Amino acid sequence: MGLELEPLFQAWSYFRRRKFRQCSDLCSQLLERPPGEQEPDSEYTVFQAAWSLKTRALTEMVYVDEIDMDQEGIAEMMLDENAIAQVARPGTSLKLPGTSQGGGPSPAVRPVTQSGRPITGFVRPSTQGGRPSTMEQAIKTPRTALTARPITSASGKYVRLGTASMLTNPDGPFINLSRLNLAKYAQKPKLAKALFEYIFHHENDVKNALDLAALATEHAQFKDWWWKVQIGKCYYRLGLYREAEKQFKSALKQQDMVDTVLYLAKEMNNISSAAEYYKDVLKQDNTHVEAIACIGSNHFYSDQPEIALRFYRRLLQMGVYNCQLFNNVGLCCFYAQQYDMTLSSFERALFLAENEEETADVWYNLGHVAVARALLQTASSLAPHMYEPHFNFAILSEKVGDLQRSYTAAQKSEEAFPGHVDTQQLIKQLKDHFAML
């Protein structure tokens, strides 16, 4: 016969093994016991321990790591409350009629990882992200190594957390927050911390969580860094970023914690400053892969694919050899109009892909190459006197194996620009290939 464990200890064992449902059910049984069935002089202790343990179990069932960058879906992209209109309302502009409202095309969209760092070209755990500014960019933007497909919104995630109490408790929420005396619990640090996590994560009641954190940090005479971090989390969730920044910085003065720094980093997202810091890193270590990749990615999203290509080639020279790098090289070559290297880079990326997601991203980018080939064919028919569309179409056709159409386009390119050396070399290669057939 097995040894029967004491109920509270068994509930704790369930919690340690992440069997939160069993832990919560067993704690509920302990909380429903009549006082006479409990051990003498231990009624309050058992009740308090079971209550705290159940609170933690319910929290863990729906816990979301707040350190990761919030994922934003198409709803947030199109309905951004913090966005500023790019064009003045009719009749309110100070510019004269007919003048331009802006200059030149906008730079490429710069995606970020879940942790808020720039896209680097190397996969990390749980890296998704990318925030296109328009619906069209969300659908059409080429995928670099770490850009992701449209995802569910952050607000939707918080709504789901807010209904977690009804899902886990058919009879209603475990704790009735409207009748809770927050000032009383704020004077009990151990219970207050468990209660805060429950209110913040399980109930998604940021207001009550903030009130409890404010009362608790006041009771601690503003000397407990943990409560300052929690206040910062509440401010961040409410969109009060300046107030959140003050709380995080104050907490860091009392205790250096990695999590606090990561919370603070979510508010910065200063790409230009990050690039300068990465350059300082290269001054110390010119073989630092992370810094090279980040600087290269920054140049790519600043409409400088030729410069970005130099950094990615540097990584190839250092021996970095993976799907993400060749995918980025292919994109740089494509936007730099170096079509002779574009398809070969994507082919190498497909060969090195380790999962379906990587393969899908490469094929997505290859789709843009196919669209470009069709557009070049249209451009060559509209402007037969220009050699550029003829030559680029010939290069792409040769890479996809359509040699006959490539040769025809190369001949048209030579007619438009007889002295173009690259066109002459391509024609010679195609003639040599046909001669061998």
Side-chain angles (χ1 to χ4, degrees):
M1 294 180 61
L3 182 61
E4 184 177 355
L5 299 177
E6 195 273 336
L8 184 59
F9 182 80
Q10 186 176 6
W12 174 248
S13 177
Y14 282 140
F15 182 85
R16 292 294 300 271
R17 288 180 287 163
R18 303 190 63 82
K19 296 182 179 181
F20 303 122
R21 170 59 64 185
Q22 293 90 323
C23 175
S24 175
D25 293 341
L26 190 54
C27 289
S28 298
Q29 297 176 12
L30 291 174
L31 293 174
E32 293 173 357
R33 277 187 179 182
E37 295 183 8
Q38 300 182 6
E39 297 180 4
D41 302 328
S42 63
E43 176 182 341
Y44 178 77
T45 303
V46 172
F47 180 87
Q48 187 183 71
W51 183 90
S52 178
L53 187 57
K54 180 175 180 178
T55 302
R56 294 181 60 188
L58 293 175
T59 302
E60 289 293 335
M61 290 171 65
V62 295
Y63 179 79
V64 175
D65 191 358
E66 293 286 319
I67 295 177
D68 286 341
M69 177 62 72
D70 297 330
Q71 300 179 2
E72 293 187 342
I74 294 180
E76 276 71 20
M77 293 189 294
M78 305 307 296
L79 302 173
D80 188 358
E81 296 179 355
N82 299 317
I84 300 176
Q86 301 298 320
V87 181
R89 295 171 55 190
T92 63
S93 176
L94 298 179
K95 294 185 178 181
L96 295 177
T99 59
S100 173
Q101 293 289 345
S106 59
V109 180
R110 176 64 183 269
V112 295
T113 63
Q114 279 187 315
S115 59
R117 302 199 305 177
I119 294 300
T120 63
F122 299 92
V123 172
R124 301 184 186 86
S126 301
T127 50
Q128 295 182 4
R131 186 180 186 275
S133 58
T134 65
M135 183 73 74
E136 288 77 9
Q137 289 176 345
I139 299 173
K140 299 180 180 178
T141 301
R143 294 178 184 171
T144 55
L146 298 181
T147 50
R149 299 170 180 81
I151 48 182
T152 57
S153 66
S155 58
K157 174 185 67 177
Y158 297 140
V159 169
R160 291 194 300 273
L161 293 182
T163 59
S165 60
M166 291 183 287
L167 296 176
T168 55
N169 297 277
D171 298 331
F174 169 54
I175 300 175
N176 191 342
L177 299 181
S178 61
R179 299 182 180 180
L180 208 60
N181 187 349
L182 297 179
K184 174 183 176 181
Y185 284 92
Q187 300 176 6
K188 302 176 181 179
K190 294 182 180 180
L191 292 179
K193 291 182 177 181
L195 179 60
F196 173 86
E197 295 286 347
Y198 173 84
I199 297 174
F200 186 82
H201 292 287
H202 190 276
E203 297 295 322
N204 190 33
D205 190 337
V206 183
K207 180 183 179 300
N208 277 320
L210 179 60
D211 292 342
L212 176 60
L215 292 171
T217 192
E218 183 179 357
H219 179 265
Q221 299 180 352
F222 305 96
K223 297 180 180 179
D224 192 334
W225 65 270
W226 190 88
W227 283 114
K228 292 183 178 180
V229 172
Q230 309 315 309
I231 294 177
K233 288 166 57 177
C234 293
Y235 281 144
Y236 183 86
R237 183 77 69 84
L238 293 172
L240 304 175
Y241 302 121
R242 295 303 180 190
E243 289 76 3
E245 181 182 6
K246 293 178 183 178
Q247 295 295 329
F248 291 141
K249 288 183 176 180
S250 178
L252 281 176
K253 291 180 180 179
Q254 295 180 346
Q255 180 70 38
D256 288 333
M257 295 295 293
V258 175
D259 287 0
T260 309
V261 176
L262 292 176
Y263 286 127
L264 191 59
K266 292 176 63 176
E267 304 174 19
M268 299 181 67
N269 199 26
N270 192 332
I271 305 300
S272 58
S273 298
E276 294 299 323
Y277 283 120
Y278 280 122
K279 291 179 182 178
D280 293 338
V281 172
L282 289 183
K283 292 179 182 179
Q284 303 295 327
D285 181 8
N286 57 8
T287 62
H288 195 279
V289 174
E290 176 81 4
I292 295 174
C294 286
I295 295 175
S297 182
N298 182 62
H299 282 296
F300 176 79
Y301 288 105
S302 299
D303 293 333
Q304 297 173 324
E306 298 88 352
I307 301 177
L309 193 56
R310 297 179 185 177
F311 288 91
Y312 288 129
R313 284 177 174 170
R314 172 60 176 164
L315 293 176
L316 289 174
Q317 294 172 354
M318 292 169 52
V320 179
Y321 200 79
N322 56 31
C323 171
Q324 292 77 26
L325 180 55
F326 279 103
N327 187 38
N328 288 353
V329 170
L331 282 175
C332 290
C333 292
F334 176 71
Y335 283 101
Q337 297 185 1
Q338 299 181 16
Y339 298 117
D340 55 335
M341 290 293 296
T342 300
L343 289 177
S344 59
S345 298
F346 284 139
E347 289 175 356
R348 191 65 57 86
L350 285 174
F351 178 77
L352 296 174
E354 297 180 352
N355 53 58
E356 294 180 355
E357 184 176 358
E358 293 179 357
T359 304
D361 287 338
V362 178
W363 276 112
Y364 182 88
N365 293 330
L366 280 170
H368 286 270
V369 177
V371 172
R373 182 167 177 256
L375 293 177
L376 286 173
Q377 185 178 16
T378 303
S380 62
S381 63
L382 294 175
H385 62 282
M386 297 178 59
Y387 83 95
E388 291 92 343
H390 294 299
F391 174 72
N392 290 333
F393 179 78
I395 288 290
L396 287 180
S397 298
E398 189 269 337
K399 290 300 179 182
V400 298
D402 193 350
L403 302 183
Q404 188 60 48
R405 300 181 72 178
S406 175
Y407 182 72
T408 303
Q411 287 181 322
K412 293 181 179 179
S413 175
E414 187 180 30
E415 292 176 1
F417 186 5
H420 192 229
V421 178
D422 292 338
T423 300
Q424 295 174 356
Q425 291 180 351
L426 178 60
I427 292 176
K428 183 179 182 300
Q429 292 176 3
L430 292 173
K431 286 183 178 179
D432 293 342
H433 179 78
F434 291 143
M436 296 174 59
L437 296 177

